Amino acid sequence: MKILVDTHIFLWMLSSPEKLKQNRKFALESRANEIFLSAMSIAEMMIKHSIGKININFDAIEMASAMRVEILNFAGREAMLLGQLPFHHRDPFDRMIIAQSLVHGIPVMTDDPKFHLYDCRVI
């Protein structure tokens, strides 16, 4: 199964794995699953780092690769879908991740309850 991880899930994988429920840990560690991180999550982390909201002292692309997490690029089809999504969620990065989930048919692993308001599958 393919799984698109929300930004906070990726950060928990790196620094706070105890925050992940056991079934999520199993899904993320299973070689049967393909784990993806949105390029928009990397943008979100870098912007939040640049304004001092979080401290990122690692290369997110290298860390993703080391953890066998693939980067899912954001492209035109996802951008076009943003114009059709209802405004249940105002966070632009989460909206972009939702658009990627819908375009690619990949469920999102997140703790954000607002994702359930969209047609994307949530883990």
Side-chain angles (χ1 to χ4, degrees):
M1 171 170 63
K2 294 180 178 182
I3 300 169
L4 177 58
V5 295
D6 196 359
T7 310
H8 68 275
I9 298 291
F10 179 71
L11 292 171
W12 289 353
M13 290 168 66
L14 291 172
S15 62
S16 302
E18 69 280 357
K19 291 184 178 181
L20 295 167
K21 295 175 184 169
Q22 194 60 37
N23 61 333
R24 285 182 171 179
K25 281 184 190 178
F26 179 79
L28 294 169
E29 293 170 358
S30 172
R31 295 274 184 203
N33 295 330
E34 292 179 80
I35 311 304
F36 293 90
L37 176 69
S38 173
M40 295 298 94
S41 288
I42 295 171
E44 178 181 15
M45 288 185 285
M46 294 303 100
I47 289 171
K48 287 182 177 180
H49 173 76
S50 72
I51 62 174
K53 193 169 182 182
I54 60 174
N55 181 30
I56 302 294
N57 58 0
F58 57 87
D59 183 310
I61 295 171
E62 286 179 12
M63 290 303 285
S65 178
M67 296 170 58
R68 69 172 198 82
V69 173
E70 297 179 48
I71 304 301
L72 184 61
N73 289 322
F74 190 83
R77 288 188 339 190
E78 293 94 330
M80 290 299 296
L81 182 57
L82 291 172
Q84 300 169 21
L85 289 178
F87 268 94
H88 301 306
H89 204 318
R90 300 252 179 230
D91 183 309
F93 295 106
D94 286 345
R95 291 176 56 78
M96 288 184 263
I97 292 168
I98 289 163
Q100 285 182 297
S101 170
L102 292 168
V103 166
H104 296 281
I106 303 174
V108 181
M109 184 179 288
T110 184
D111 271 358
D112 188 333
K114 291 182 181 178
F115 277 62
H116 292 281
L117 299 172
Y118 295 89
D119 289 331
C120 64
R121 224 171 96 217
V122 177
I123 298 175

